[in-house]
Amino acid sequence: MLKIEIDGQAVEVEHGSTIIDAADKIGVAIPRFCYHKKLSVAANCRMCLVQVEKFNKPLPACATPVSEGMKIFTRSKSAIEAQKSVMEFLLINHPLDCPICDQGGECELQDIAVGYGSVKSRYTEEKRVVLNKNIGPLVSTDMTRCIQCTRCVRFLKEIGGMMELGLVGRGEHAEITAYVDKSVESELSGNIIDLCPVGALTSKPFRYSARSWELTRRPSIAAHDALGSQIEVQVKNNRVMRVLPREKESINECWISDRDRFSYEGLNSTERLTVPMIKQNGEWKEADWKSALEYVANRLKVVAEKDGNDIGFLVAPTSTMEEGYLTKKLARGLKSGNVDHRLRRGDFRLDGHFQGTPWMGCNIPDLQEMDRVLVIGSNLRNEHPLLAHRLRHAVKMNAAEVSIVSSLDDDPLMPVAFKEICSPDGMINELLQILKAMSSLQRLSLCLPPSLNKLLEGIEVSANADAIAHSLAGLGKDYDLVSPRSGVFLGNMAQHHPRYSELYSLAEAIASLCGATFGVFSESANRVGLDLARALPSAGALNARTMLEQPRKAYMLVNVEPEFDCRNGKQAADAMAQADFVVALTPFKSFALNDADVMLPVAPFTETSGTFMSMEGRVQSFAAAVKPLGECRPGWKVLRVLGNLLGLEGFDFDSSEAVKNEIFGGEKPSKVVWNKLNNNLRHLVEVDVKATSTALRRIGEIPLYQSDAIVRRSLPLQKAGQSSVGMAAMNSALMQKLGLQEGDLVRVKQDAEAVKLPVRLDDRVYDNCVRVPVCAETARLGDLYGEISVEKAS
Amino acid sequence: MANEVCFRTLHLPNPGSLETYRSIGGYETLKRIVTEKVKATEIINQVKISGLRGRGGAGFPTGLKWSFMPRYYDGTKYLVCNTDEGEPGTFKDRDIIRYNPHQLIEGMAIAAYTLGARVGYNYIHGEIWEDYVFFERALDEARAAGFLGENLFGTNFSFDLYAHHGYGAYICGEETALIESIEGKKGQPRFKPPFPASFGVYGKPTNVNNTESYASIPFILQHGGQAFQDLGVANSGGTKIFAVSGHVEKPGNYEVNMGIPFPELLSLAGGIWKGRQLKAVIPGGPSTAVMPAASIMGATMDYDGLSKAGSSLGAGSVIIMDDSTCMVQTLKRLSYFFFEESCGQCTPCREGTGWLYRVVKRIVDGEGRMEDLDLLTDVSSNISGRTICALGDAAATPVLSFIKHFRPEFEYYIQHGRSMVTGK
Ligand SMILES: Cc1cc2nc3c(=O)[nH]c(=O)nc-3n(C[C@H](O)[C@H](O)[C@H](O)COP(=O)(O)O)c2cc1C
Ligand code: SF4
Ligand code: SF4
Ligand code: FES
């Protein structure tokens, strides 16, 4: 520790701290623009100049390391003079029209100018004007306001992983710009809006719609991935105007993904369902709540009286724990075991084998401390944008080695140590190879069950698999790590994999052989929470897949749009069409619900209280940020009333907390969670070494902005670069084999369903696979990973 | 005596050739040092004794700079030569690379041996293309003759030297911007510390010196540090190339002993042209303060001499102005240079250089206001010492010194809307 003095106040700080760190520590405010604690130091704005004893010129506090005994003066005559002069320089070319600037009221320049600026400008020359740039549908630019602090540049390069903005030109011509004719494509781009200290970068969707002081701020939890990012929902006139991150170092630091930032536009969509609707003679009719609920109760009762298992309950994994729990309770009350939220899962062979609720296996910040990581089946940047950043950080700052096994070679924007891109079946073989390499490496083969050892006998280990095993074990080209912090993780695409159980078993075995952390980057906001709330089939009952394969007489859908959210859109749509009765609890009217009989308007996460549990097992409850739109009601209340109407026991909850209380048996959630999270298997499932197929295989990726119903309705996100249009993407080898060319129209067929799609050349896709992402055009195709045929459309 | 160190081949035919350089004992010093395994500390000591100070402008003692390079370092260390001279009136280094390139190469090789650098770059200004090509040829010659490359003179000392040309940005002469540019990035100064000695090219320890500094090294190690020091005066050892330009009969480079009285230098350059009178001199390049005739005529040309007289030696770019020169218009030209060449990274320089230029231009356009003079002084002082690199100070210096010494000319210009000197 170093002892120093700031403005006469003694303070002890760590070696390597800068003056600004030290001042922040004791709450001495030093004005700043370019400095940001999460970014590299640029020291270019010069606003933080302070006086330091023994130095004849002021030093930038953000870039000057402290030394023992240093005496710093932040408010001395020379410091203030320096700060005021920099402020004057910043303002000479800055427009002084704050009342028409969108940043007004939350502008760092404006705030600091109040303290350091002069009332009168001495600058009488012509002011600089800088052309605005179009950098996409999310971030709006007003470049004349830019003060060249380069926070945006550094963010995209250092956190986003790609330098999409730069400062080009010299002197006064220095301006921030994107690549020629390119917009900023980072899935984290919205953060530059928060970072920009002035009104140069603002939110395009929010722009000019409200002043910051008119907004009420409500804390909430982000609902589109399983990170549990803490957000602030800003509200005016009972409408969500924008969403910003709340700072939470151990989860989202001070960032959020664009998906979490701009999804709110979907909440204000014209497709919102605001009154209960009942279909009569094929026509949707508005109804009052009472008759709608009674109607639903009666219809369900009729089916349940014969056999409760004729009803299937499908819960979207974005639903709250309370909604999931009450749905399950309702199902059990009606004697149905068919409840599931794992709608995109294809392989359920592990059910019954888990020792607890599968989770991430560690905490989020642990990721960036890891030395060696293997990510299996994950399109990281789409699935968990901020986890990709944590891993990027590990690679950059700790020289971590990240290896990848996947069928898609999408760039995670970080150096990848080893990667194995293979067919979906090939992934199983790859894991077998890694396991074999690992077991010979560790001479630990005895630890594997004999059956598995036998399986490995015939496996040939490739150089790459061997390298991955070495990496995970901490053995390197240049040096070995004595006890590496390693991790093996399964992503969303692994969870959707038709042989997920085998992937899981092998990954677990690999991890346990090398002592690595093993976990699942689980999908959607609440997949782990709904597992813990047991929104799962009871023993022997039907799961999300079999409920559709063996069509039921009735279905209850909670926040589900069947053909978008289920693994097999075609099957889901058909199942709904044939059912006698389908009730959907939904915030949206949707063409995907045309086959329903009743639609009950339930509140999305901003309009209801509830609880999500993140992939790291963090239980986070939130209150409604706004009142439900129209006649919408919180889902838990709707389910409670249905329980009452059906005369079921135990539905007398008077708040969502009461439901939560019951889920956790009256205990503190953390206490329960601790016991329940467990990735271990009781038994390994059987691994089929030989299974391979020569058929064309679909890779049914879920695009970044197709993840759930709210995101799908956010127009700005749909306009963004990563949004998805229907396409059949394949590598050049396959294109050649099929005699196709980029842009050709093809008939893409799965089962009995066919759609016409344009062909895209995409060499990131593995041989003999066709990337057909889920979107409006393709929603009615079949299994995400099913066989597919592609032929030129005439 | 003139041309004793860097230009010592100049009187010979074909001065830039390897043959000529060898005829005066070229590369013998390198060979002796390398084969006799002379200790690095001994070499650095000689450089310290020589009193050699950086010829790039800042005048930092070269021996001391060399001692900052980490001695034991696991990895590549780099050596960089700064031949990016781009300041108006500066043209000495190009003459070294075209008239005596091998002495520079030998100097760099000795430095590389001393500092343990494996790879070197000579960063050459982008607007002297032919000289860059010529230097490339000299490198080829040196490689072919076994003075560059692997295992030189059969020892385990290896040194590769490459020429690298810029594209004419003055800021790339600032050593850290130069390093960024070598790395293929936009030439923009880094914040110091860390200094290049600990974080230079690709983040590795790097020594940066000016062309003339390196080219002085073979002489120092051939004749001993003291011999070099003895050529000059206290605190300013050796010779210095003065690039004399402006209103003289014989503009050009003059390598003379440090401490030469200015009038002597002026007469070497043929005196003021057209029989006119001396008005003012910028003794070390536009980033140094202008001096009125009276003070420069009594000054000696060395670090202390010029600093006592109120300016500095800088890079030794002596710009002579006769009595027909309008100081207001001259300042406009100089301010435009710094405005145009600011990298734009830090606020005071980016915003301030434009402000200064526009106000001076307004005065020249006849729109000046009396309070502009205080404003100019104030804005200049507000830039000085508050920027990332010294370009900010460089931009402030002419404004401050021109107004200080020639205020009446500025006042006249503002009052009459035209020049006191030219009447236009
Ligand atoms: C704006 C600016 C331009 C510079 N241009 C040059 C140059 O052209 N040549 C040079 O040798 N040094 C130049 N310098 C100085 C270098 O930064 C550095 O101090 C020098 O190359 C070190 O070598 P020396 O110690 O041998 O002088 C410049 C400095 C600044 C701030
Ligand atoms: S756009 Fe904003 S964040 Fe980017 S450099 Fe300009 S002021 Fe800084
Ligand atoms: S002083 Fe000028 S040239 Fe130097 S870093 Fe700052 S803006 Fe760039
Ligand atoms: S905050 Fe220190 S220079 Fe910008």
Side-chain angles (χ1 to χ4, degrees), chain A residues 23-193:
Chain A
D24 285 352
K25 189 172 166 184
I26 55 169
V28 168
I30 296 177
R32 69 201 66 184
F33 294 112
C34 66
Y35 173 78
H36 190 277
K37 61 182 181 216
K38 292 282 178 191
L39 304 176
S40 65
V41 172
N44 59 25
C45 78
R46 316 308 280 180
M47 190 62 215
C48 66
L49 292 172
V50 294
Q51 188 194 345
V52 179
E53 194 185 57
K54 296 199 195 94
F55 284 85
N56 60 1
K57 48 182 197 177
L59 299 179
C62 66
T64 308
V66 296
S67 53
E68 180 67 30
M70 203 180 235
K71 285 207 174 80
I72 297 145
F73 306 93
T74 73
R75 312 279 309 159
S76 67
K77 186 160 167 287
S78 106
I80 298 275
E81 235 174 60
Q83 292 160 5
K84 286 198 161 163
S85 71
V86 171
M87 183 42 91
E88 179 177 40
F89 283 130
L90 281 171
L91 291 179
I92 62 171
N93 273 310
H94 193 86
L96 300 177
D97 54 0
C98 303
I100 63 154
C101 172
D102 194 49
Q103 190 88 350
E106 50 181 356
C107 172
E108 291 175 46
L109 186 65
Q110 199 180 34
D111 293 348
I112 297 179
V114 171
Y116 298 86
S118 157
V119 232
K120 202 170 158 286
S121 172
R122 297 196 286 171
Y123 186 76
T124 56
E125 320 310 316
E126 211 172 295
K127 283 200 173 218
R128 172 170 69 226
V129 174
V130 184
L131 278 188
N132 291 339
K133 318 283 179 297
N134 184 0
I135 59 169
L138 305 178
V139 182
S140 168
T141 68
D142 195 343
M143 282 330 220
T144 301
R145 300 185 190 279
C146 170
I147 58 169
Q148 285 85 8
C149 71
T150 68
R151 277 189 190 176
C152 54
V153 175
R154 284 173 285 146
F155 173 85
L156 289 169
K157 182 167 161 222
E158 294 163 17
I159 309 287
M162 181 150 61
M163 189 169 177
E164 291 188 277
L165 289 178
L167 188 68
V168 302
R170 267 200 328 247
E172 265 190 21
H173 309 293
E175 51 181 279
I176 298 292
T177 181
Y179 289 101
V180 179
D181 286 338
K182 285 272 184 327
S183 47
V184 170
E185 307 253 303
S186 166
E187 64 283 3
L188 302 173
S189 71
N191 293 295
I192 62 179
I193 299 167

Side-chain angles (χ1 to χ4, degrees), chain A residues 8 56 63 143 154 176 183 188 207 209 247 299 317 342 412 478 503 530 543 564 611 621 654 704 713 767:
Chain A
N56 60 1
M143 282 330 220
R154 284 173 285 146
I176 298 292
S183 47
L188 302 173
R207 200 165 199 233
S209 63
E247 187 161 345
R299 294 290 302 263
R342 299 164 298 174
D478 304 325
L503 282 181
L530 291 168
N543 57 41
F564 289 95
T611 305
S621 295
D654 54 9
L704 182 57
R713 287 178 173 78
D767 294 340

